[in-house]
Amino acid sequence: MANTSAISVANLDFDEIKSNLKTFLKNQAIFQDYDFEGSNLSVLLDVLSYNTFMNNYYLNQVANEGFLDSAQLIESVVSHAKTLNYLPQS
């Protein structure tokens, strides 16, 4: 039976995400004695880590644009201002 311990991927550091994935896989019975550094699995971990990193970055930006205080795009600021019945002049 596989170990289903939680894996932490909620950070914005590629190397830390990859390290967490390696640790998670090393805790699985099938990958306990596997060398992750010089194998094809390392390439797959790179792709998975990069995908996770990009998703974390994207979701962070989406969350920032969701609030008036942290929005950076003018479209987001105008949209939030409209909900407050304020129409910017410029």
Side-chain angles (χ1 to χ4, degrees):
M1 182 95 188
N3 184 2
T4 57
S5 62
I7 183 169
S8 174
V9 293
N11 51 26
L12 291 176
D13 183 29
F14 174 82
D15 294 325
E16 193 171 331
I17 292 171
K18 187 174 179 181
S19 174
N20 289 341
L21 287 171
K22 282 182 188 178
T23 302
F24 176 76
L25 287 176
K26 285 180 182 179
N27 289 334
Q28 305 298 314
I30 195 166
F31 292 116
Q32 278 182 337
D33 297 331
Y34 205 80
D35 179 23
F36 292 97
E37 294 304 320
S39 65
N40 291 334
L41 194 56
S42 178
V43 175
L44 293 175
L45 282 175
D46 284 340
V47 171
L48 184 59
S49 299
Y50 181 74
N51 185 37
T52 303
F53 172 77
M54 293 306 292
N55 279 334
N56 287 346
Y57 178 78
Y58 171 74
L59 291 174
N60 188 27
Q61 294 301 322
V62 167
N64 283 341
E65 294 299 321
F67 300 99
L68 183 59
D69 291 341
S70 60
Q72 302 215 351
L73 298 175
I74 191 68
E75 295 87 12
S76 299
V77 173
V78 169
S79 176
H80 292 301
K82 283 181 184 177
T83 62
L84 300 172
N85 291 327
Y86 176 75
L87 184 62
Q89 298 299 322
S90 60

